[in-house]
Amino acid sequence: MTGTKTTGGKSGKKKMMFFSGRAHPELAQEVALQLGVDVVPTKAFDFANGEIYVRYEESARGADCFVIQSHTAPINQWIMEQLIMIDALKRASARSITVIVPFYGYARQDKKHRGREPISARLVADLMATAGADRILTVDLHTDQIQGFFDGPVDHLFALPLLADYVGAKVDKGKLTVVSPDAGRVRVADRWCDRLGAPLAIVHKRRDKDVANQVTVHEVVGEVKGRVCVLVDDMIDTGGTIVAAADALFAHGAEDVIVTATHGVLSGPAADRLKNSRVSEFVFTNTLPTPGELSADLDKIKVLSIAPTIASAVREVFEDGSVTSLFDEQ
């Protein structure tokens, strides 16, 4: 393999270059392997005061450049590193810069709930555009409208086929009920129902607006008694919402509960909550690295690779194909 890939596109010979930040190098290597290229050698380090330095060790002039960085903890450091990487490519005369963000930081701050609040998800998009990003490629945004925060093309990928096919292959579909953990995820849960041929249930909850991650579950809408329930969400952070939802399902007679989420943020008390819950399995993708305290000693966590999905989208972008066609069956 080499650090670049060439093809004869509509505009003649094109060169792909694939770059990675330091946040989640394992995923970057998987994507590069799928693409048949190496990650371009990059010199990156932190100065004593925390400033980040980046320099690429190969010329990017005239290349279609893809920069992958997942916004994991410490999230602000990795967002800043990705911005610096984009700026370096812009100043290196890259032909185009596609920013791959498997997990988009600040996505939950996508609107103002009360006065004097920021819309930080829009700010992140503005920062990327200012740095020099031509295109954003991301996986399962918290809300679809975030796509509109960026003025250029946004390729929004979905982990639903990967996650749903895994669950469908191991559970008797005749006993399966798809459950949305709140009203906001009903549309996604509906797609799960269509793919698996399963009925839908909803957990009604109320979040304390003054206390972060504080959730009270009120009731379950739908038939879950004696059923295997699969709770579907876009991310699990501290685990409070999803574990409370699972408890509500068990209280209403569920036989078993499986939890799926694209992004396993798993911060703070998540490890203890997941370990102590009655949920039989938590299924994530590797858009984020799994914290060591969970991956080392929790056998009920299953991590599926999103790398083939990202690589297919990168290939379509590079070859002037259609990213939408990857999800036409949805």
Side-chain angles (χ1 to χ4, degrees):
M1 293 188 296
T2 63
T4 62
K5 185 174 184 177
T6 59
T7 186
K10 296 178 180 178
S11 58
K13 194 172 183 180
K14 300 169 65 180
K15 181 172 71 171
M16 175 199 295
M17 299 187 76
F18 188 73
F19 303 83
S20 172
R22 295 173 291 168
H24 193 1
E26 297 83 6
L27 176 59
Q29 290 293 343
E30 284 191 47
V31 175
L33 184 63
Q34 293 280 331
L35 290 169
V37 301
D38 283 333
V39 178
V40 174
T42 303
K43 184 178 183 180
F45 60 83
D46 300 332
F47 287 106
N49 68 346
E51 291 180 6
I52 298 168
Y53 174 85
V54 171
R55 183 180 183 272
Y56 304 118
E57 298 182 359
E58 294 181 9
S59 172
R61 184 178 298 275
D64 292 300
C65 298
F66 296 82
V67 188
I68 188 168
Q69 180 89 300
S70 202
H71 299 165
T72 186
I75 189 168
N76 298 320
Q77 177 181 355
W78 301 134
I79 290 175
M80 190 65 198
E81 180 175 272
Q82 191 169 36
L83 294 171
I84 291 171
M85 295 177 73
I86 297 166
D87 185 75
L89 287 172
K90 178 177 67 176
R91 299 177 190 281
S93 301
R95 178 178 181 270
S96 68
I97 303 171
T98 297
V99 178
I100 306 171
V101 190
F103 175 73
Y104 186 101
Y106 290 89
R108 284 173 286 185
Q109 298 184 42
D110 61 313
K111 57 182 174 291
K112 290 178 66 172
H113 296 276
R114 295 186 289 177
R116 301 180 299 283
E117 287 185 341
I119 303 180
S120 303
R122 171 60 190 265
L123 176 60
V124 171
D126 288 345
L127 288 169
M128 289 184 176
T130 300
D134 298 303
R135 187 182 202 106
I136 291 178
L137 192 155
T138 189
V139 184
D140 280 333
L141 289 167
H142 188 58
T143 52
D144 289 341
Q145 71 255 25
I146 295 174
Q147 296 175 77
F149 294 167
F150 186 77
D151 288 336
V154 176
D155 297 306
H156 190 195
L157 311 183
F158 305 102
L160 188 155
L162 179 67
L163 293 167
D165 290 352
Y166 172 81
V167 172
K170 69 174 300 179
V171 178
D172 178 2
K173 293 183 182 179
K175 296 186 66 176
L176 190 65
T177 294
V178 176
V179 184
S180 173
D182 55 49
R185 307 306 298 173
V186 170
R187 185 178 175 188
V188 173
D190 266 336
R191 295 182 191 138
W192 273 74
C193 293
D194 291 340
R195 192 173 185 96
L196 295 176
L200 173 69
I202 303 168
V203 176
H204 176 64
K205 70 173 186 180
R206 184 167 304 219
R207 187 180 294 274
D208 190 328
K209 65 182 180 180
D210 294 316
V211 182
N213 303 308
Q214 186 68 42
V215 173
T216 302
V217 174
H218 288 270
E219 60 186 69
V220 174
V221 181
E223 183 56 51
V224 300
K225 187 174 182 180
R227 310 282 293 178
V228 176
C229 296
V230 53
L231 271 164
V232 300
D233 212 343
D234 64 318
M235 73 175 75
I236 296 178
D237 189 353
T238 63
T241 297
I242 211 74
V243 168
D247 288 344
L249 294 173
F250 282 119
H252 283 75
E255 179 183 305
D256 190 17
V257 176
I258 298 171
V259 169
T260 72
T262 304
H263 311 295
V265 182
L266 307 179
S267 55
D272 286 338
R273 286 174 174 170
L274 268 58
K275 289 176 185 177
N276 296 326
S277 75
R278 295 174 60 190
V279 173
S280 64
E281 189 172 27
F282 292 88
V283 187
F284 305 110
T285 75
N286 61 341
T287 57
L288 293 166
T290 302
E293 63 270 23
L294 282 173
S295 59
D297 58 14
L298 187 60
D299 57 4
K300 60 180 176 181
I301 281 187
K302 175 70 175 179
V303 180
L304 307 177
S305 178
I306 198 71
T309 302
I310 294 175
S312 295
V314 168
R315 195 175 292 112
E316 292 293 335
V317 170
F318 178 59
E319 297 176 355
D320 299 326
S322 171
V323 176
T324 303
S325 66
L326 300 175
F327 301 99
D328 274 346
E329 75 269 20
Q330 296 302 304

